[in-house]
Amino acid sequence: MKILIPTAKEMNLSLKPHGKCFLSEQTKTIVASLSQYSIEELADFYHISLERAEEEYVHFQQLKNGQALTYPALHLFDGLMYRNIKRSDLTEKKSRYVDKHLFITSSLYGVMPAMVLISPHRLDFSVKCTISGKSLKNYWRNDYDAAISDEEMILSLLSSEFETVFSKSMRDKMLRFKFLEDREGSLKVHSTISKKARGQFLTALIESQVRSKKEIKQLQFAGFAFREDLSTINTYVFVKE
């Protein structure tokens, strides 16, 4: 079983940095390409200020030269979903579960173990970027598919931006999740609810050491409970009363 989550734009750079990160050949190719951009070109590329573009320029130069500071990916990303994951002071049992089952999908590093050491970056799949003559999604597709091809159960907590990197045959294998709120008999969903619930759901998976669909259906967390009547074979719905 693999649980897939996306990266986040927000990052916690107050963490203590670790040693050097290992760069795959695929990542090295991206770094070699983007490290050639000037600060002005990166500002235009990302639609950001020159000040922020300079930070990104430095990051890519440091990655290229093997001097980039690194952090455990699960702790580095700090978006709303991540802030709702209990990431600190994990027991040995919970850490083993994370190491075995939790993977983060990245536009720079591919499908990576959640605790792998990486360097901060702004790159994501919404950026129009051509690597070796391919779009970023097409560049990564074979590697993304290979990362989950042997898995019988794949839990996707991904946004469409990341999920569509996988080929259709791989997406068809995924079990997806919807998180709704019952407000006076009306079921509501919006991005804030979904992002918070994904983090809370992932925490419940880790704490309960879930490994089967039956166990997923039995989960109750942060007021959410499984709704069989709203769910399908490939999409499980949880509702917060």
Side-chain angles (χ1 to χ4, degrees):
M1 182 184 82
K2 280 187 176 176
I3 307 164
L4 302 177
I5 61 175
T7 55
K9 291 183 179 179
E10 299 92 338
M11 297 188 187
N12 180 8
L13 299 180
S14 65
L15 300 169
K16 180 181 178 180
H18 291 248
K20 295 180 180 179
C21 61
F22 169 78
L23 300 184
S24 68
E25 292 304 315
Q26 294 90 333
T27 299
K28 287 179 181 178
T29 299
I30 296 174
V31 170
S33 176
L34 296 185
S35 63
Q36 297 179 26
Y37 282 57
S38 67
I39 294 172
E40 291 75 16
E41 287 171 333
L42 284 172
D44 183 61
F45 181 66
Y46 285 114
H47 304 291
I48 56 177
S49 67
L50 286 174
E51 182 179 2
R52 291 188 175 182
E54 184 175 4
E55 293 175 357
E56 187 72 351
Y57 176 83
V58 171
H59 284 155
F60 277 115
Q61 298 306 314
Q62 290 175 335
L63 276 171
K64 181 181 178 181
N65 298 326
Q67 300 173 337
L69 298 177
T70 63
Y71 310 84
L74 184 62
H75 296 289
L76 173 63
F77 297 114
D78 211 35
L80 188 55
M81 180 192 73
Y82 281 86
R83 295 197 300 274
N84 280 274
I85 303 170
K86 291 184 181 178
R87 300 173 282 177
S88 301
D89 302 319
L90 292 177
T91 64
E92 185 177 343
K93 187 177 181 180
K94 292 175 184 177
S95 293
R96 285 199 303 268
Y97 184 91
V98 167
D99 290 340
K100 184 175 181 180
H101 299 292
L102 185 59
F103 291 79
I104 300 173
T105 56
S106 165
S107 58
L108 182 59
Y109 295 96
V111 180
M112 58 187 178
M115 296 301 291
V116 73
L117 296 178
I118 65 168
S119 180
H121 60 89
R122 297 183 64 91
L123 187 67
D124 60 44
F125 286 109
S126 65
V127 174
K128 292 183 178 180
C129 179
T130 301
I131 304 295
S132 299
K134 299 179 180 179
S135 69
L136 205 50
K137 286 188 176 183
N138 285 331
Y139 176 79
W140 276 117
R141 181 153 291 135
N142 288 341
D143 291 273
Y144 265 54
D145 284 356
I148 63 170
S149 60
D150 295 331
E151 296 294 329
E152 292 186 7
M153 189 160 74
I154 304 159
L155 310 187
S156 173
L157 294 173
L158 302 173
S159 62
S160 59
E161 173 190 335
F162 290 90
E163 198 169 282
T164 52
V165 181
F166 295 95
S167 64
K168 184 179 184 303
S169 61
M170 292 296 110
R171 296 198 303 271
D172 289 344
K173 295 170 59 177
M174 295 177 180
L175 178 59
R176 300 174 180 85
F177 303 90
K178 286 185 179 180
F179 304 99
L180 312 176
E181 277 190 350
D182 188 335
R183 296 182 179 175
E184 300 179 350
S186 180
L187 297 178
K188 303 289 185 181
V189 62
H190 55 73
S191 60
T192 299
I193 292 173
S194 296
K195 289 177 181 178
K196 285 184 176 180
R198 287 175 184 175
Q200 294 161 345
F201 175 65
L202 178 54
T203 297
L205 291 175
I206 296 169
E207 291 184 339
S208 299
Q209 301 284 292
V210 169
R211 291 177 172 83
S212 70
K213 292 181 180 179
K214 180 180 179 181
E215 290 173 321
I216 293 173
K217 293 179 180 180
Q218 294 171 342
L219 285 178
Q220 294 188 25
F221 59 94
F224 285 93
F226 177 71
R227 284 283 297 268
E228 186 83 53
D229 58 318
L230 300 175
S231 301
T232 65
I233 294 175
N234 295 323
T235 303
Y236 285 6
V237 177
F238 286 81
V239 176
K240 186 174 185 176
E241 300 295 339

mmCIF file of all heavy atoms in Angstrom, residues 29-53:
data_model
loop_
_atom_site.group_PDB
_atom_site.id
_atom_site.type_symbol
_atom_site.label_atom_id
_atom_site.label_comp_id
_atom_site.label_asym_id
_atom_site.label_seq_id
_atom_site.Cartn_x
_atom_site.Cartn_y
_atom_site.Cartn_z
ATOM 1 N N THR A 29 18.856 16.559 -14.260
ATOM 2 C CA THR A 29 18.557 17.137 -15.576
ATOM 3 C C THR A 29 17.722 18.400 -15.440
ATOM 4 O O THR A 29 17.960 19.407 -16.126
ATOM 5 C CB THR A 29 17.804 16.115 -16.452
ATOM 6 O OG1 THR A 29 18.629 14.967 -16.641
ATOM 7 C CG2 THR A 29 17.455 16.711 -17.811
ATOM 8 N N ILE A 30 16.731 18.382 -14.534
ATOM 9 C CA ILE A 30 15.897 19.573 -14.307
ATOM 10 C C ILE A 30 16.741 20.699 -13.716
ATOM 11 O O ILE A 30 16.652 21.857 -14.154
ATOM 12 C CB ILE A 30 14.718 19.239 -13.364
ATOM 13 C CG1 ILE A 30 13.794 18.207 -14.012
ATOM 14 C CG2 ILE A 30 13.929 20.506 -13.023
ATOM 15 C CD1 ILE A 30 12.690 17.712 -13.092
ATOM 16 N N VAL A 31 17.549 20.366 -12.727
ATOM 17 C CA VAL A 31 18.407 21.374 -12.084
ATOM 18 C C VAL A 31 19.371 21.985 -13.096
ATOM 19 O O VAL A 31 19.566 23.210 -13.131
ATOM 20 C CB VAL A 31 19.183 20.749 -10.906
ATOM 21 C CG1 VAL A 31 20.251 21.720 -10.392
ATOM 22 C CG2 VAL A 31 18.236 20.363 -9.782
ATOM 23 N N ALA A 32 19.949 21.156 -13.948
ATOM 24 C CA ALA A 32 20.894 21.656 -14.960
ATOM 25 C C ALA A 32 20.202 22.633 -15.901
ATOM 26 O O ALA A 32 20.801 23.633 -16.321
ATOM 27 C CB ALA A 32 21.470 20.482 -15.750
ATOM 28 N N SER A 33 18.941 22.357 -16.218
ATOM 29 C CA SER A 33 18.191 23.239 -17.122
ATOM 30 C C SER A 33 17.823 24.556 -16.447
ATOM 31 O O SER A 33 18.088 25.642 -16.982
ATOM 32 C CB SER A 33 16.924 22.525 -17.602
ATOM 33 O OG SER A 33 16.131 23.382 -18.391
ATOM 34 N N LEU A 34 17.253 24.482 -15.246
ATOM 35 C CA LEU A 34 16.758 25.693 -14.588
ATOM 36 C C LEU A 34 17.873 26.537 -13.984
ATOM 37 O O LEU A 34 17.695 27.733 -13.780
ATOM 38 C CB LEU A 34 15.739 25.315 -13.515
ATOM 39 C CG LEU A 34 14.460 24.646 -14.032
ATOM 40 C CD1 LEU A 34 13.466 24.431 -12.905
ATOM 41 C CD2 LEU A 34 13.819 25.456 -15.144
ATOM 42 N N SER A 35 19.015 25.930 -13.716
ATOM 43 C CA SER A 35 20.130 26.705 -13.167
ATOM 44 C C SER A 35 20.752 27.634 -14.214
ATOM 45 O O SER A 35 21.540 28.513 -13.870
ATOM 46 C CB SER A 35 21.205 25.762 -12.605
ATOM 47 O OG SER A 35 21.751 24.953 -13.630
ATOM 48 N N GLN A 36 20.361 27.461 -15.479
ATOM 49 C CA GLN A 36 20.854 28.329 -16.540
ATOM 50 C C GLN A 36 20.052 29.627 -16.655
ATOM 51 O O GLN A 36 20.472 30.568 -17.319
ATOM 52 C CB GLN A 36 20.818 27.590 -17.877
ATOM 53 C CG GLN A 36 21.731 26.378 -17.928
ATOM 54 C CD GLN A 36 21.648 25.645 -19.257
ATOM 55 O OE1 GLN A 36 21.325 26.231 -20.284
ATOM 56 N NE2 GLN A 36 21.948 24.353 -19.241
ATOM 57 N N TYR A 37 18.897 29.662 -15.992
ATOM 58 C CA TYR A 37 18.054 30.856 -16.053
ATOM 59 C C TYR A 37 18.682 31.996 -15.246
ATOM 60 O O TYR A 37 19.248 31.773 -14.171
ATOM 61 C CB TYR A 37 16.672 30.565 -15.468
ATOM 62 C CG TYR A 37 15.728 29.799 -16.373
ATOM 63 C CD1 TYR A 37 16.066 28.550 -16.886
ATOM 64 C CD2 TYR A 37 14.487 30.319 -16.695
ATOM 65 C CE1 TYR A 37 15.207 27.843 -17.693
ATOM 66 C CE2 TYR A 37 13.597 29.625 -17.504
ATOM 67 C CZ TYR A 37 13.960 28.385 -18.001
ATOM 68 O OH TYR A 37 13.094 27.685 -18.801
ATOM 69 N N SER A 38 18.560 33.207 -15.750
ATOM 70 C CA SER A 38 18.993 34.382 -14.995
ATOM 71 C C SER A 38 17.908 34.720 -13.967
ATOM 72 O O SER A 38 16.796 34.175 -14.014
ATOM 73 C CB SER A 38 19.193 35.572 -15.929
ATOM 74 O OG SER A 38 17.939 35.979 -16.482
ATOM 75 N N ILE A 39 18.218 35.622 -13.055
ATOM 76 C CA ILE A 39 17.236 36.052 -12.055
ATOM 77 C C ILE A 39 16.018 36.662 -12.746
ATOM 78 O O ILE A 39 14.870 36.381 -12.390
ATOM 79 C CB ILE A 39 17.870 37.057 -11.079
ATOM 80 C CG1 ILE A 39 18.959 36.365 -10.260
ATOM 81 C CG2 ILE A 39 16.813 37.668 -10.160
ATOM 82 C CD1 ILE A 39 19.776 37.306 -9.394
ATOM 83 N N GLU A 40 16.288 37.480 -13.759
ATOM 84 C CA GLU A 40 15.186 38.122 -14.485
ATOM 85 C C GLU A 40 14.319 37.081 -15.196
ATOM 86 O O GLU A 40 13.080 37.195 -15.215
ATOM 87 C CB GLU A 40 15.743 39.123 -15.501
ATOM 88 C CG GLU A 40 16.394 40.362 -14.889
ATOM 89 C CD GLU A 40 17.773 40.070 -14.301
ATOM 90 O OE1 GLU A 40 18.357 39.014 -14.631
ATOM 91 O OE2 GLU A 40 18.258 40.907 -13.521
ATOM 92 N N GLU A 41 14.949 36.079 -15.771
ATOM 93 C CA GLU A 41 14.201 35.028 -16.464
ATOM 94 C C GLU A 41 13.364 34.199 -15.489
ATOM 95 O O GLU A 41 12.238 33.824 -15.796
ATOM 96 C CB GLU A 41 15.169 34.132 -17.238
ATOM 97 C CG GLU A 41 15.749 34.790 -18.477
ATOM 98 C CD GLU A 41 16.862 33.966 -19.101
ATOM 99 O OE1 GLU A 41 17.531 33.190 -18.380
ATOM 100 O OE2 GLU A 41 17.085 34.119 -20.323
ATOM 101 N N LEU A 42 13.907 33.935 -14.310
ATOM 102 C CA LEU A 42 13.153 33.195 -13.296
ATOM 103 C C LEU A 42 11.966 34.011 -12.790
ATOM 104 O O LEU A 42 10.893 33.455 -12.512
ATOM 105 C CB LEU A 42 14.060 32.827 -12.120
ATOM 106 C CG LEU A 42 15.038 31.669 -12.355
ATOM 107 C CD1 LEU A 42 16.000 31.540 -11.182
ATOM 108 C CD2 LEU A 42 14.291 30.364 -12.582
ATOM 109 N N ALA A 43 12.138 35.320 -12.669
ATOM 110 C CA ALA A 43 11.033 36.182 -12.243
ATOM 111 C C ALA A 43 9.886 36.097 -13.241
ATOM 112 O O ALA A 43 8.710 36.009 -12.851
ATOM 113 C CB ALA A 43 11.515 37.632 -12.107
ATOM 114 N N ASP A 44 10.227 36.097 -14.511
ATOM 115 C CA ASP A 44 9.207 35.982 -15.557
ATOM 116 C C ASP A 44 8.637 34.565 -15.606
ATOM 117 O O ASP A 44 7.434 34.369 -15.776
ATOM 118 C CB ASP A 44 9.828 36.346 -16.908
ATOM 119 C CG ASP A 44 8.812 36.326 -18.036
ATOM 120 O OD1 ASP A 44 7.847 37.112 -17.969
ATOM 121 O OD2 ASP A 44 8.994 35.524 -18.982
ATOM 122 N N PHE A 45 9.488 33.592 -15.413
ATOM 123 C CA PHE A 45 9.119 32.179 -15.466
ATOM 124 C C PHE A 45 8.087 31.838 -14.388
ATOM 125 O O PHE A 45 7.093 31.158 -14.635
ATOM 126 C CB PHE A 45 10.395 31.351 -15.274
ATOM 127 C CG PHE A 45 10.219 29.867 -15.332
ATOM 128 C CD1 PHE A 45 9.832 29.229 -16.495
ATOM 129 C CD2 PHE A 45 10.472 29.091 -14.204
ATOM 130 C CE1 PHE A 45 9.696 27.844 -16.543
ATOM 131 C CE2 PHE A 45 10.348 27.710 -14.244
ATOM 132 C CZ PHE A 45 9.952 27.088 -15.424
ATOM 133 N N TYR A 46 8.316 32.339 -13.164
ATOM 134 C CA TYR A 46 7.440 32.042 -12.031
ATOM 135 C C TYR A 46 6.382 33.122 -11.775
ATOM 136 O O TYR A 46 5.523 32.943 -10.916
ATOM 137 C CB TYR A 46 8.271 31.888 -10.752
ATOM 138 C CG TYR A 46 9.036 30.593 -10.640
ATOM 139 C CD1 TYR A 46 10.426 30.589 -10.658
ATOM 140 C CD2 TYR A 46 8.388 29.372 -10.471
ATOM 141 C CE1 TYR A 46 11.148 29.406 -10.518
ATOM 142 C CE2 TYR A 46 9.102 28.190 -10.341
ATOM 143 C CZ TYR A 46 10.478 28.219 -10.361
ATOM 144 O OH TYR A 46 11.189 27.036 -10.226
ATOM 145 N N HIS A 47 6.501 34.246 -12.472
ATOM 146 C CA HIS A 47 5.622 35.405 -12.229
ATOM 147 C C HIS A 47 5.780 35.886 -10.784
ATOM 148 O O HIS A 47 4.796 36.042 -10.039
ATOM 149 C CB HIS A 47 4.160 35.056 -12.523
ATOM 150 C CG HIS A 47 3.930 34.534 -13.912
ATOM 151 N ND1 HIS A 47 4.048 35.328 -15.039
ATOM 152 C CD2 HIS A 47 3.609 33.299 -14.350
ATOM 153 C CE1 HIS A 47 3.804 34.598 -16.118
ATOM 154 N NE2 HIS A 47 3.537 33.371 -15.728
ATOM 155 N N ILE A 48 7.022 36.091 -10.377
ATOM 156 C CA ILE A 48 7.327 36.537 -9.020
ATOM 157 C C ILE A 48 8.236 37.752 -9.077
ATOM 158 O O ILE A 48 8.736 38.130 -10.131
ATOM 159 C CB ILE A 48 7.997 35.412 -8.196
ATOM 160 C CG1 ILE A 48 9.265 34.891 -8.913
ATOM 161 C CG2 ILE A 48 7.026 34.269 -7.928
ATOM 162 C CD1 ILE A 48 10.031 33.833 -8.132
ATOM 163 N N SER A 49 8.473 38.359 -7.913
ATOM 164 C CA SER A 49 9.342 39.533 -7.834
ATOM 165 C C SER A 49 10.796 39.136 -8.057
ATOM 166 O O SER A 49 11.180 37.971 -7.909
ATOM 167 C CB SER A 49 9.199 40.190 -6.459
ATOM 168 O OG SER A 49 9.726 39.339 -5.451
ATOM 169 N N LEU A 50 11.607 40.138 -8.372
ATOM 170 C CA LEU A 50 13.039 39.879 -8.564
ATOM 171 C C LEU A 50 13.686 39.376 -7.277
ATOM 172 O O LEU A 50 14.598 38.552 -7.313
ATOM 173 C CB LEU A 50 13.736 41.158 -9.043
ATOM 174 C CG LEU A 50 13.487 41.564 -10.500
ATOM 175 C CD1 LEU A 50 14.109 42.919 -10.778
ATOM 176 C CD2 LEU A 50 14.046 40.515 -11.460
ATOM 177 N N GLU A 51 13.200 39.865 -6.148
ATOM 178 C CA GLU A 51 13.760 39.440 -4.856
ATOM 179 C C GLU A 51 13.538 37.939 -4.643
ATOM 180 O O GLU A 51 14.462 37.216 -4.261
ATOM 181 C CB GLU A 51 13.108 40.229 -3.722
ATOM 182 C CG GLU A 51 13.664 39.881 -2.351
ATOM 183 C CD GLU A 51 13.009 40.688 -1.241
ATOM 184 O OE1 GLU A 51 12.092 41.490 -1.542
ATOM 185 O OE2 GLU A 51 13.394 40.507 -0.074
ATOM 186 N N ARG A 52 12.320 37.482 -4.893
ATOM 187 C CA ARG A 52 12.032 36.050 -4.725
ATOM 188 C C ARG A 52 12.719 35.219 -5.810
ATOM 189 O O ARG A 52 13.140 34.095 -5.569
ATOM 190 C CB ARG A 52 10.522 35.818 -4.751
ATOM 191 C CG ARG A 52 9.805 36.373 -3.523
ATOM 192 C CD ARG A 52 8.353 35.960 -3.487
ATOM 193 N NE ARG A 52 7.715 36.401 -2.268
ATOM 194 C CZ ARG A 52 6.456 36.142 -1.957
ATOM 195 N NH1 ARG A 52 5.702 35.437 -2.803
ATOM 196 N NH2 ARG A 52 5.941 36.569 -0.819
ATOM 197 N N ALA A 53 12.834 35.800 -6.996
ATOM 198 C CA ALA A 53 13.532 35.095 -8.085
ATOM 199 C C ALA A 53 14.996 34.902 -7.753
ATOM 200 O O ALA A 53 15.593 33.869 -8.098
ATOM 201 C CB ALA A 53 13.377 35.877 -9.385
#
